[in-house]
Amino acid sequence: MGLDEGTVSWQELLDESISRLQEAGVEDALISARRIVEEASGFEGAELVLHFTEPATKRCVAHLDSMMARRMDGEPLQYVVGRWSFRMLDLLVDSRVLIPRPETEEVAGWAIEEAQRFETPTVVDLGTGTGAIGLSVATEVEQSLVYLTDLSSDALAVARANLIGTGRAAARVTISEGSWFNALHQDLQGSFNVVVSNPPYVREDDELPAVVRDWEPGMALRAGADGLNDLLPIATEAIDWLVPDGALVLEMAPDQTQVVAEHCLAVGFASAEVRADLSGRARAVVARTPGGTTD
Ligand SMILES: C[S@@+](CC[C@H](N)C(=O)[O-])C[C@H]1O[C@@H](n2cnc3c(N)ncnc32)[C@H](O)[C@@H]1O
């Protein structure tokens, strides 16, 4: 592009960006161009339309150019713009973390519902990545105490940055590094009202779309031959960390839900319910420990 300051409007830049992305074969050229122009201009949604005729500064055009080059290279839009919305949060997202998925917003919702059964719930989000699930709980459930854990120090650096963005809720959040429950102090055993996790669950042999395989962190995705290497041990151990009538909320692939639900019952949970996401696909298991009124 390389246009001089004051010579080109945001409308022209948007049109040109759409054409460039289409020519480069980017699938969601319209959406990508729009988000990139929004990010470069600082105007979002209807605000951008109001400023369409304004000229872009040289600095903004340079920012736009660098984002366009990354998108045309195939990098996911979320990493290119560096932030993505998740429920009520605007999360920092980069290649150190998995991009939070829409179905995970529903999983976070189920964890929130489980937490709301208690007055001052203590909740842990294991393998938090951006912090999407745990920070949603902290933001949407007043009085909750939330722990975020991950094995990746890189991911936790992103979660920490997102924690700052939650304002007052941040005071109720603790971050710790380590493998699953090992990240937590032993004294916390038996004290969690909710354990929630979206662990890696992709089978070793499963083909991933190139954009996921080439750009997102492998350790956030793969979990052994059957994809159950993390799900089953988390379910087994969760029993020791939950209060009576506490809840385990686990995200997984549709064809893993039955096995995981049966495993939960086998290791001592009183109930294990499979939940479907908005597209109707079995997406999570919500299991409760004994001690509820129906036991
Ligand atoms: C599928 S991603 C989910 C990220 C985030 N919770 C979300 O829903 O967007 C799985 C996360 O688990 C973390 N992880 C992988 N192995 C782990 C382990 N052994 N202990 C703790 N976290 C682990 C990864 O670093 C990654 O952040």
mmCIF file of all heavy atoms in Angstrom, residues 21-41:
data_model
loop_
_atom_site.group_PDB
_atom_site.id
_atom_site.type_symbol
_atom_site.label_atom_id
_atom_site.label_comp_id
_atom_site.label_asym_id
_atom_site.label_seq_id
_atom_site.Cartn_x
_atom_site.Cartn_y
_atom_site.Cartn_z
ATOM 1 N N LEU A 21 -7.167 -9.630 0.173
ATOM 2 C CA LEU A 21 -7.365 -10.910 0.869
ATOM 3 C C LEU A 21 -8.048 -11.924 -0.040
ATOM 4 O O LEU A 21 -7.707 -13.110 -0.032
ATOM 5 C CB LEU A 21 -8.168 -10.698 2.161
ATOM 6 C CG LEU A 21 -7.448 -9.940 3.283
ATOM 7 C CD1 LEU A 21 -8.376 -9.666 4.448
ATOM 8 C CD2 LEU A 21 -6.208 -10.694 3.781
ATOM 9 N N GLN A 22 -9.006 -11.451 -0.842
ATOM 10 C CA GLN A 22 -9.669 -12.374 -1.782
ATOM 11 C C GLN A 22 -8.662 -12.915 -2.786
ATOM 12 O O GLN A 22 -8.625 -14.109 -3.058
ATOM 13 C CB GLN A 22 -10.826 -11.652 -2.494
ATOM 14 C CG GLN A 22 -12.062 -11.561 -1.616
ATOM 15 C CD GLN A 22 -13.149 -10.677 -2.204
ATOM 16 O OE1 GLN A 22 -12.868 -9.807 -3.035
ATOM 17 N NE2 GLN A 22 -14.383 -10.874 -1.773
ATOM 18 N N GLU A 23 -7.814 -12.014 -3.306
ATOM 19 C CA GLU A 23 -6.792 -12.452 -4.280
ATOM 20 C C GLU A 23 -5.830 -13.450 -3.653
ATOM 21 O O GLU A 23 -5.352 -14.370 -4.301
ATOM 22 C CB GLU A 23 -5.997 -11.259 -4.792
ATOM 23 C CG GLU A 23 -6.687 -10.539 -5.937
ATOM 24 C CD GLU A 23 -6.116 -9.133 -6.137
ATOM 25 O OE1 GLU A 23 -4.905 -8.942 -5.890
ATOM 26 O OE2 GLU A 23 -6.893 -8.242 -6.506
ATOM 27 N N ALA A 24 -5.548 -13.279 -2.364
ATOM 28 C CA ALA A 24 -4.626 -14.187 -1.675
ATOM 29 C C ALA A 24 -5.306 -15.504 -1.290
ATOM 30 O O ALA A 24 -4.674 -16.391 -0.711
ATOM 31 C CB ALA A 24 -4.065 -13.503 -0.427
ATOM 32 N N GLY A 25 -6.625 -15.611 -1.570
ATOM 33 C CA GLY A 25 -7.341 -16.861 -1.289
ATOM 34 C C GLY A 25 -7.740 -17.016 0.172
ATOM 35 O O GLY A 25 -8.032 -18.128 0.627
ATOM 36 N N VAL A 26 -7.786 -15.915 0.916
ATOM 37 C CA VAL A 26 -8.218 -15.998 2.318
ATOM 38 C C VAL A 26 -9.730 -16.200 2.336
ATOM 39 O O VAL A 26 -10.474 -15.430 1.733
ATOM 40 C CB VAL A 26 -7.816 -14.712 3.096
ATOM 41 C CG1 VAL A 26 -8.402 -14.703 4.493
ATOM 42 C CG2 VAL A 26 -6.298 -14.582 3.139
ATOM 43 N N GLU A 27 -10.166 -17.277 3.052
ATOM 44 C CA GLU A 27 -11.577 -17.686 3.011
ATOM 45 C C GLU A 27 -12.547 -16.607 3.504
ATOM 46 O O GLU A 27 -13.520 -16.298 2.860
ATOM 47 C CB GLU A 27 -11.761 -18.928 3.872
ATOM 48 C CG GLU A 27 -11.859 -20.195 3.052
ATOM 49 C CD GLU A 27 -12.015 -21.420 3.915
ATOM 50 O OE1 GLU A 27 -12.703 -21.344 4.946
ATOM 51 O OE2 GLU A 27 -11.412 -22.450 3.558
ATOM 52 N N ASP A 28 -12.244 -16.054 4.667
ATOM 53 C CA ASP A 28 -13.173 -15.076 5.260
ATOM 54 C C ASP A 28 -12.660 -13.653 4.995
ATOM 55 O O ASP A 28 -12.499 -12.858 5.921
ATOM 56 C CB ASP A 28 -13.324 -15.343 6.764
ATOM 57 C CG ASP A 28 -11.994 -15.233 7.491
ATOM 58 O OD1 ASP A 28 -10.954 -15.098 6.815
ATOM 59 O OD2 ASP A 28 -11.986 -15.251 8.734
ATOM 60 N N ALA A 29 -12.430 -13.352 3.707
ATOM 61 C CA ALA A 29 -11.807 -12.069 3.332
ATOM 62 C C ALA A 29 -12.579 -10.860 3.873
ATOM 63 O O ALA A 29 -11.980 -9.920 4.394
ATOM 64 C CB ALA A 29 -11.677 -11.989 1.813
ATOM 65 N N LEU A 30 -13.917 -10.921 3.781
ATOM 66 C CA LEU A 30 -14.721 -9.762 4.215
ATOM 67 C C LEU A 30 -14.592 -9.535 5.714
ATOM 68 O O LEU A 30 -14.320 -8.412 6.167
ATOM 69 C CB LEU A 30 -16.199 -9.989 3.865
ATOM 70 C CG LEU A 30 -16.576 -9.913 2.404
ATOM 71 C CD1 LEU A 30 -18.050 -10.241 2.209
ATOM 72 C CD2 LEU A 30 -16.277 -8.527 1.859
ATOM 73 N N ILE A 31 -14.753 -10.614 6.473
ATOM 74 C CA ILE A 31 -14.682 -10.501 7.940
ATOM 75 C C ILE A 31 -13.276 -10.079 8.360
ATOM 76 O O ILE A 31 -13.088 -9.194 9.196
ATOM 77 C CB ILE A 31 -15.059 -11.849 8.605
ATOM 78 C CG1 ILE A 31 -16.525 -12.165 8.349
ATOM 79 C CG2 ILE A 31 -14.760 -11.830 10.102
ATOM 80 C CD1 ILE A 31 -16.939 -13.563 8.730
ATOM 81 N N SER A 32 -12.271 -10.727 7.763
ATOM 82 C CA SER A 32 -10.888 -10.419 8.133
ATOM 83 C C SER A 32 -10.557 -8.962 7.839
ATOM 84 O O SER A 32 -9.982 -8.260 8.678
ATOM 85 C CB SER A 32 -9.909 -11.321 7.375
ATOM 86 O OG SER A 32 -9.925 -12.622 7.903
ATOM 87 N N ALA A 33 -10.930 -8.510 6.635
ATOM 88 C CA ALA A 33 -10.607 -7.128 6.257
ATOM 89 C C ALA A 33 -11.264 -6.155 7.227
ATOM 90 O O ALA A 33 -10.649 -5.195 7.699
ATOM 91 C CB ALA A 33 -11.070 -6.860 4.830
ATOM 92 N N ARG A 34 -12.506 -6.420 7.532
ATOM 93 C CA ARG A 34 -13.267 -5.540 8.430
ATOM 94 C C ARG A 34 -12.590 -5.465 9.812
ATOM 95 O O ARG A 34 -12.365 -4.389 10.359
ATOM 96 C CB ARG A 34 -14.684 -6.099 8.544
ATOM 97 C CG ARG A 34 -15.581 -5.362 9.465
ATOM 98 C CD ARG A 34 -16.265 -4.243 8.729
ATOM 99 N NE ARG A 34 -16.956 -3.375 9.663
ATOM 100 C CZ ARG A 34 -17.863 -2.481 9.308
ATOM 101 N NH1 ARG A 34 -18.167 -2.320 8.061
ATOM 102 N NH2 ARG A 34 -18.436 -1.716 10.206
ATOM 103 N N ARG A 35 -12.234 -6.634 10.373
ATOM 104 C CA ARG A 35 -11.629 -6.663 11.715
ATOM 105 C C ARG A 35 -10.251 -5.991 11.705
ATOM 106 O O ARG A 35 -9.869 -5.287 12.643
ATOM 107 C CB ARG A 35 -11.495 -8.111 12.230
ATOM 108 C CG ARG A 35 -12.717 -8.689 12.857
ATOM 109 C CD ARG A 35 -13.173 -7.940 14.141
ATOM 110 N NE ARG A 35 -12.277 -8.136 15.263
ATOM 111 C CZ ARG A 35 -11.637 -7.167 15.913
ATOM 112 N NH1 ARG A 35 -11.777 -5.911 15.541
ATOM 113 N NH2 ARG A 35 -10.837 -7.439 16.921
ATOM 114 N N ILE A 36 -9.497 -6.227 10.635
ATOM 115 C CA ILE A 36 -8.155 -5.641 10.546
ATOM 116 C C ILE A 36 -8.252 -4.120 10.430
ATOM 117 O O ILE A 36 -7.515 -3.388 11.102
ATOM 118 C CB ILE A 36 -7.361 -6.285 9.368
ATOM 119 C CG1 ILE A 36 -6.970 -7.725 9.739
ATOM 120 C CG2 ILE A 36 -6.141 -5.455 9.003
ATOM 121 C CD1 ILE A 36 -6.390 -8.547 8.610
ATOM 122 N N VAL A 37 -9.192 -3.647 9.615
ATOM 123 C CA VAL A 37 -9.362 -2.191 9.474
ATOM 124 C C VAL A 37 -9.867 -1.596 10.795
ATOM 125 O O VAL A 37 -9.432 -0.516 11.204
ATOM 126 C CB VAL A 37 -10.296 -1.864 8.276
ATOM 127 C CG1 VAL A 37 -10.706 -0.404 8.286
ATOM 128 C CG2 VAL A 37 -9.602 -2.225 6.969
ATOM 129 N N GLU A 38 -10.754 -2.313 11.466
ATOM 130 C CA GLU A 38 -11.234 -1.824 12.778
ATOM 131 C C GLU A 38 -10.060 -1.673 13.743
ATOM 132 O O GLU A 38 -9.937 -0.685 14.454
ATOM 133 C CB GLU A 38 -12.271 -2.793 13.377
ATOM 134 C CG GLU A 38 -13.640 -2.700 12.728
ATOM 135 C CD GLU A 38 -14.653 -3.648 13.355
ATOM 136 O OE1 GLU A 38 -14.249 -4.626 14.015
ATOM 137 O OE2 GLU A 38 -15.846 -3.427 13.162
ATOM 138 N N GLU A 39 -9.203 -2.697 13.751
ATOM 139 C CA GLU A 39 -8.062 -2.698 14.676
ATOM 140 C C GLU A 39 -7.089 -1.568 14.327
ATOM 141 O O GLU A 39 -6.580 -0.871 15.209
ATOM 142 C CB GLU A 39 -7.357 -4.062 14.603
ATOM 143 C CG GLU A 39 -6.421 -4.358 15.739
ATOM 144 C CD GLU A 39 -7.094 -4.385 17.107
ATOM 145 O OE1 GLU A 39 -8.287 -4.749 17.213
ATOM 146 O OE2 GLU A 39 -6.413 -4.020 18.084
ATOM 147 N N ALA A 40 -6.824 -1.382 13.031
ATOM 148 C CA ALA A 40 -5.866 -0.355 12.611
ATOM 149 C C ALA A 40 -6.407 1.057 12.865
ATOM 150 O O ALA A 40 -5.656 1.967 13.228
ATOM 151 C CB ALA A 40 -5.538 -0.523 11.121
ATOM 152 N N SER A 41 -7.716 1.215 12.700
ATOM 153 C CA SER A 41 -8.306 2.558 12.822
ATOM 154 C C SER A 41 -8.673 2.896 14.261
ATOM 155 O O SER A 41 -8.746 4.080 14.620
ATOM 156 C CB SER A 41 -9.573 2.651 11.960
ATOM 157 O OG SER A 41 -10.562 1.768 12.465
#
